[in-house]
Amino acid sequence: MRISQRVRRAMVAGAAAVAVCVSAQPALAVVGASADRRGPSFNGSVYAIAHRGDTVYVGGSFTRMTIDGRTVTRNRLAAFSGRTGELLDWAPSADDTVRALAVVPGWVYAGGDFDEVNGEERQALARIDAGDAEVGSFDHRFAGSVRTLAVGHGRLYAGGTISRVDGERRGQLAAFSLADDELDDTWTPRPGGMVNSLAVRGNRVYLGGAFPRRLAAVDAADGRDDAGFRPDAPALVHAIAVDGSGVYAAMGGAGGRAAKFSTSGATRWIRVFDGDAQAIAVLDGVAYVGGHFDRACANGDDADNGECEAGSVPRVKLAAVSPSGSLTGWAPQANGVVGVRTLVIKGATVAAGGDFTTIGGRTQRRYASFG
C-alpha cells in the first residue's frame, strides 16, 4: 500500500498526540500485511538481506533456493531481482553460515562462520564481486565470527565474537579501509562482549549486543566511546536501527522488548512481547519488529517478567510500532519457533528473513517482503 508524502508527513506529525493503545489507526502501517508472492523460498535459515538497486542479496544457512517453481543449489548466498522476482546467476558458495551482508559499489561483503568461499580460504569475512560472484583479494585472518557489518566513513565495520584479526587483538570489533582493504589500526573499541548489530549515522557507530552496556555509540573515526549517548537498555540487544529521531533496539530478556531511545539515550518508548525481539527496521518513523514472540502486551512497558499486566494481543513473529510508541494494527502473522531473524528496508518495502515457513497461513519459506 502506497501513501502519499502529504499523508505520510501528516501521520508522523500527528503521532505524538496519539495515546499508547492496543492498536493505532491502520494507516500508520506504511506497508501492507500481505507478503509478495513472487519472493523466493529457502531450505534453511535466512540471516541477512542486502540490496543493490533492484538486486536482493541473501545470506544464511540454506543450501537450496526455490523461485518461480525452480529449485537450484545456493550454498548460503543467493541473489534475485526484487522488481521481477527473477532468479539471478550470482551464486558464490560459502562452507558455513553467512550472518551478515554489506554492499558497496561493485562488491558484496559477507560475514559469518565460514572458512571458505568458492573454495578459497576466507575466514569469517569475504569480499565478493556483485556481478560475477568472484571472490576478491580482501583476505584477513580472524579469531572469531562476524555477526554484523556496516559501511560508512570510507570503512567497513565488522562486529561479532572477534578476538583477533591478522594476529592483532580486537575487542569484538574491527574496521577496514574500503580504499585499500587494510585493517584499520586506529579504530579499536572494546565494548567488553559480543556485538550483534552495528549502525552508522553521522559521526557515530552504534553497537548493540551482549556487552555490559548492551547499547552504546563510539566515534566513527577513532573508536572512542561517545559519552553523549547513554541509554538504559534493559536486556541483551539483538538488533538496532537508526533514523534522524533516534535509535531503535530489538532485545531479549524476560519476554522480549523493542525500544526507541533519543540520540542522547533517553527512553522514548518500550514495547513488550512474550518472546525475544530479534530484528528491527524503521520506515517513516514506524518501527517494524521481528522475533520469536507470539503476543505483544496491550500497553507499553507494563510487564513484570514478561507477564502483561493489561493483557496482550496476537502479534505472531512480526509487529509494528508507531512513532508515538503505539502498537499498530500491522500483523502479518508468521510462524516457527525462531521466527524472524532480520528485517531490512528498501524504498517503501520491508523485507524479512528467518526460519518461518508461512505468512498469514500461506506458504512463505524463510523470506518475505511487504510493500
Side-chain angles (χ1 to χ4, degrees), residues 48-50 57 59 77 90 98-112 114 117 124-130 136-140 146 148-151 154-158 176-182:
I49 302 167
Y57 297 95
L77 288 160
W90 194 81
V98 172
R99 296 182 179 274
L101 295 171
V103 176
V104 301
W107 299 99
V108 177
Y109 287 92
F114 51 82
V117 177
L125 185 58
R127 188 181 68 184
I128 305 165
D129 191 287
S137 59
F138 181 95
D139 186 9
H140 295 274
V146 172
T148 179
L149 296 169
V151 173
R155 294 177 174 91
L156 172 73
Y157 299 98
F176 304 86
S177 168
L178 293 174
D180 59 16
D181 297 342
E182 293 298 316

Side-chain angles (χ1 to χ4, degrees), residues 269-290:
W269 52 254
I270 294 180
R271 302 299 315 190
V272 182
F273 302 89
D274 67 348
D276 282 11
Q278 301 173 146
I280 196 161
V282 182
L283 176 61
D284 288 347
V286 176
Y288 294 87
V289 184

Side-chain angles (χ1 to χ4, degrees), residues 4-284:
S4 73
Q5 289 296 109
R6 181 177 301 171
V7 172
R8 190 176 291 168
R9 286 194 297 268
M11 288 191 302
V12 173
V18 179
V20 175
C21 58
V22 173
S23 176
Q25 293 298 317
L28 278 173
V30 176
V31 301
S34 297
D36 186 343
R37 305 303 298 172
R38 297 172 302 172
S41 64
F42 297 88
N43 72 332
S45 303
V46 169
Y47 284 82
I49 302 167
H51 296 83
R52 182 182 71 124
D54 290 332
T55 300
V56 182
Y57 297 95
V58 181
S61 62
F62 53 84
T63 56
R64 293 191 303 278
M65 171 188 184
T66 300
I67 191 165
D68 196 25
R70 177 187 174 195
T71 299
V72 296
T73 297
R74 289 293 186 270
N75 288 312
R76 304 167 187 92
L77 288 160
F80 63 97
S81 169
R83 181 174 55 84
T84 67
E86 178 186 3
L87 173 68
L88 300 180
D89 292 335
W90 194 81
S93 176
D95 69 343
D96 207 337
T97 302
V98 172
R99 296 182 179 274
L101 295 171
V103 176
V104 301
W107 299 99
V108 177
Y109 287 92
D113 305 333
F114 51 82
D115 292 312
E116 292 185 354
V117 177
N118 288 351
E120 298 187 39
E121 187 176 358
R122 292 292 187 275
Q123 292 181 345
L125 185 58
R127 188 181 68 184
I128 305 165
D129 191 287
D132 63 18
E134 292 296 316
V135 177
S137 59
F138 181 95
D139 186 9
H140 295 274
R141 297 292 182 264
F142 282 78
S145 174
V146 172
R147 303 179 70 88
T148 179
L149 296 169
V151 173
H153 300 273
R155 294 177 174 91
L156 172 73
Y157 299 98
T161 59
I162 305 166
S163 60
R164 291 183 182 271
V165 179
D166 298 335
E168 297 187 24
R169 294 189 63 181
R170 286 295 183 270
Q172 321 307 332
L173 292 161
F176 304 86
S177 168
L178 293 174
D180 59 16
D181 297 342
E182 293 298 316
L183 176 66
D184 190 331
D185 291 327
T186 67
W187 199 81
T188 57
R190 296 184 181 278
M194 181 172 63
V195 175
N196 290 323
S197 186
L198 295 171
V200 180
R201 190 174 181 92
N203 62 356
R204 286 174 168 174
V205 178
Y206 293 95
L207 34 142
F211 49 89
R213 285 172 52 197
R214 303 182 182 119
L215 182 61
V218 298
D219 189 274
D222 60 25
R224 293 181 182 177
D225 180 66
D226 190 327
F229 181 66
R230 284 289 186 270
D232 181 16
L236 161 73
V237 174
H238 289 292
I240 56 177
V242 296
D243 67 6
S245 65
V247 182
Y248 304 77
M251 296 175 282
R257 285 164 169 75
K260 180 182 179 180
F261 303 93
S262 73
T263 54
S264 65
T267 302
R268 295 305 191 206
W269 52 254
I270 294 180
R271 302 299 315 190
V272 182
F273 302 89
D274 67 348
D276 282 11
Q278 301 173 146
I280 196 161
V282 182
L283 176 61
D284 288 347

